[in-house]
Every structure is written in structure tokens, then in C-alpha cells.
Amino acid sequence: MARLQLKNVNKRWGSYVAVKDFDLDIADQEFLVLLGPSGCGKSTTMRMIAGLEDVTSGEIVLGGRNVNNLEPKDRDISMVFQSYGLYPNLSVYENIRFPLRVRKVPKEQHHEMVMTAIRMVELEPFMDRRPADLSGGQRQRVALGRAIVRKPTVFLMDEPLSNLDAKLRVSTRAQIKNLQSKLKTTTVYVTHDQIEAMTLADRVVVMNKGEIQQVGTPTEIYDNPANTFVASFIGSPAMNLVEGRIEGGTFTGDGITVEGLKAPSGPVTLGFRAEDASIVPSGGQIAAPVYAVELLGEASMITWRLGEQLVSVKTAKDYRAETGQMVEASVPAAICHLFDAETGKALPR
């Protein structure tokens, strides 16, 4: 069983706090994604799990055993890095075999174990090639095969797709998801890409400035963000956020008025998703000149500048409007989220 627990884990370098009070229980076979901007502490958290960084305080428990003081080699963890870390003088076969040699697995077991991993990452036609003769996607699959071959208790993946182009990211992402479903191995995956997080994860941990902002399924964090940071980080485009005031259940901000909201009077931030609002001929909650029109392929994006804020709404791909044209949008109260203007925390809906 590969249940992984982080109990009030902290990491400090002098006065700098990289990770603060990280408390999380990761279930056996779960695919967990740590998501956040650069410098938020997600890679540091992963490196502490791996044993590459010491824990300042708190506990890391794997399979019921405290591993704080164990060397990385003794934690039964495989890690896939952003850089492929392949040996240029070794073939694909020998690169994948290398961990078995290091761990002194009996030689008679090597071929079957290596070929199983090679088949899983679909590299049979390339197993005699060296890394220089492979594409970026193929090299990353070699790194995945090397992690798979010795059947670790936990996989750690640190931005494994960031060196790939957009097309390869999509195909390799699907392969990672498929592999994890077959291997049923507990996986912790680090990324700053919210699309990767949403498509891969069983649960997502959104981090900022070393602290957990929200933990939940992709659907939970998308539909009910805990604060304005999560709302602005999750989604493509991110949730529209407009500052204003509520008086008597009516929100008023620059260029927008929404009635029928249930919240105390005072300053708030109103949020709504671009795909939940709609363009209307008249009577909309937004009525302003168009700032930009973008064709996305499957839809068009209409953007307004409301005061200092840009607000977008998705509409049909064949919709046409000119910059500066007055266009209205329906933003009903039912689609709106409200956040405390001071703390950024979500208010009850």
C-alpha cells in the first residue's frame, strides 16, 4: 500500500519560508497534481518527498513509515524530471535497464522487466537507438520507462512535459494518464500548467507562496474556487473578476450591474466564467464598447475593458463584432461567484 502523508511539513532557508504547514493525505493509487506559479513551493514539496531536500519540520509518512531520515535510494520512489537525464552513450534499452543494474536486481530478470517497460511506453522500434537519435517526446518516454521499470511505490513527476511542443504535450499527457491507470501506482505530479492539472489529476492541490490554497477534484476547484487566486489561476481563460459593491442585493462595478445576489452590502469581487455568460441584443448586465474579438476556432471571445479590468465572454465561432462596437452580455446572478474584497475568500453562494 502506497498511502503518502505529509503532516504539517515546513521548509525554510533562514528567514525564507518555501513551504508552510503543508498537510495532506494522498491515497494509495491516487494521481495528485501540485499546481501553482513558479516559486510557489510545489517542486520543493516534491523534492522533500523524494528526500532531495530535508524537511525543516513536520513528517513525511509513506506506507505507514516515517521517511524523513531515509536516503532517497531507500524510499522506493521513482522520479521523472523536466530534463530527461538520459545517458547519451547508452541505448534506449540500456537507459531503461540502468536502475536495475544500480539496485542489483538479478540479471536474469532484467530483459523481461525492461521489455515490459519498453512496451508500456511504446518504444520497441527505438530500443537500440541512443538519445541523440530520438525526438523530445521519445526521450521523455524513455525517462518514463526508466521510472516504470523497477515498479516503485510512488512516482514523482516534476514538470515532465515542459520541454515538449504543444502537440507532443497533448499526446504525452494522454500516455501518462493511460500508464497511471494501468500501473495503479500513487503519483505526485508537479506543473504550472492548469490544463495538465485539470486533465490528469484525481485531485489538484493549488499552491501559492508556499501554502495550499485549495485541494479538490478538478471539477470542484473549477466550479467552486476557494478564493480569487484559485479563480484567476484555474480555467482558460481564467475566471473574470470585477471589483465593485453590493447594495440591497445588487452588484455595481465599472460597466456592469447584476441584480438578485445574496450577500451583505459592501465591497466585493464578483467572478464569472467566460463560457457561462452570453452575448445578448439588449438588456444585458454588461453594455460597453468591444475591446477585442478573438477567434478561438471552436468559439469567439469578446473582451471589454471595464474600468481597469478586462472581462471576456465566449460566444459562437461565427459571431462578428468590430472593436469599439457597443455589445451587451447577459451575466445572470446564478452564474456569479462572490469573494471578500479584503481577503479574497469565496463568500457562500
Side-chain angles (χ1 to χ4, degrees):
M1 180 176 175
R3 181 185 179 194
L4 177 61
Q5 297 166 279
L6 288 86
K7 300 181 178 181
N8 296 311
V9 170
N10 291 271
K11 179 63 181 179
R12 294 188 297 273
W13 286 283
S15 60
Y16 176 72
V17 179
V19 177
K20 182 178 179 182
D21 296 332
F22 194 103
D23 196 76
L24 190 67
D25 196 333
I26 304 167
D28 184 34
Q29 303 183 17
E30 182 174 15
F31 196 125
L32 183 100
V33 174
L34 302 180
L35 173 68
S38 297
C40 73
K42 57 190 187 296
S43 289
T44 301
T45 301
M46 176 171 283
R47 289 174 64 83
M48 287 190 289
I49 295 170
L52 301 175
E53 295 284 356
D54 291 332
V55 174
T56 304
S57 63
E59 286 185 88
I60 296 176
V61 179
L62 177 57
R65 179 176 62 158
N66 185 310
V67 299
N68 281 32
N69 297 319
L70 289 184
E71 294 293 321
K73 64 182 178 64
D74 298 323
R75 297 192 183 196
D76 196 20
I77 285 171
S78 276
M79 193 161 182
V80 179
F81 296 93
Q82 177 179 344
S83 58
Y84 314 122
L86 304 179
Y87 295 100
N89 59 319
L90 298 181
S91 66
V92 168
Y93 182 98
E94 290 298 332
N95 263 286
I96 292 176
R97 181 187 174 203
F98 191 80
L100 304 179
R101 294 168 57 190
V102 170
R103 297 179 73 84
K104 296 182 170 52
V105 174
K107 285 186 179 180
E108 59 271 19
Q109 298 177 24
H110 287 197
H111 183 70
E112 183 180 349
M113 294 175 74
V114 172
M115 289 308 299
T116 297
I118 283 177
R119 283 190 287 269
M120 279 190 166
V121 294
E122 301 174 11
L123 285 172
E124 289 172 278
F126 310 102
M127 64 184 185
D128 295 323
R129 293 189 188 182
R130 294 189 177 185
D133 301 320
L134 302 174
S135 68
Q138 289 163 347
R139 292 180 199 176
Q140 192 56 274
R141 281 151 58 192
V142 177
L144 287 168
R146 192 173 55 187
I148 288 166
V149 72
R150 64 181 185 82
K151 300 178 181 177
T153 302
V154 174
F155 286 128
L156 302 179
M157 299 187 183
D158 192 2
E159 304 266 13
L161 306 184
S162 56
N163 287 341
L164 305 181
D165 63 36
K167 185 177 179 181
L168 273 176
R169 273 202 299 272
V170 172
S171 59
T172 309
R173 190 171 71 211
Q175 190 163 44
I176 288 173
K177 184 72 171 177
N178 180 264
L179 278 171
Q180 202 270 345
S181 68
K182 288 179 179 176
L183 295 167
K184 300 190 184 302
T185 303
T186 306
T187 302
V188 180
Y189 185 106
V190 160
T191 185
H192 64 274
D193 186 325
Q194 54 93 18
I195 295 176
E196 280 181 34
M198 298 293 284
T199 54
L200 287 172
D202 295 323
R203 281 192 305 160
V204 178
V205 178
V206 184
M207 295 182 67
N208 188 38
K209 297 180 181 178
E211 295 187 74
I212 294 175
Q213 302 296 308
Q214 187 172 1
V215 180
T217 66
T219 300
E220 287 169 350
I221 64 170
Y222 188 85
D223 290 344
N224 296 294
N227 54 43
T228 51
F229 175 81
V230 177
S232 64
F233 200 79
I234 298 294
S236 182
M239 181 179 284
N240 295 302
L241 295 172
V242 184
E243 295 178 1
R245 290 186 62 85
I246 283 187
E247 296 292 344
T250 298
F251 172 88
T252 305
D254 286 326
I256 180 171
T257 300
V258 181
E259 299 177 347
L261 295 165
K262 296 178 181 179
S265 296
V268 296
T269 300
L270 179 138
F272 63 94
R273 296 281 182 196
E275 65 271 23
D276 292 335
S278 57
I279 302 297
V280 292
S282 61
Q285 283 73 33
I286 295 173
V290 170
Y291 181 77
V293 180
E294 300 167 87
L295 179 60
L296 305 179
E298 82 288 356
S300 290
M301 187 81 75
I302 310 301
T303 300
W304 300 264
R305 180 180 285 280
L306 304 182
E308 297 300 314
Q309 296 147 118
L310 294 179
V311 172
S312 299
V313 170
K314 279 187 179 180
T315 190
K317 63 182 179 181
D318 57 355
Y319 181 84
R320 297 291 180 265
E322 300 295 329
T323 301
Q325 179 182 335
M326 188 66 69
V327 171
E328 298 192 23
S330 172
V331 186
I335 72 167
C336 292
H337 300 253
L338 296 174
F339 303 92
D340 186 282
E342 186 174 340
T343 66
K345 291 183 178 179
L347 299 174
R349 295 184 72 183

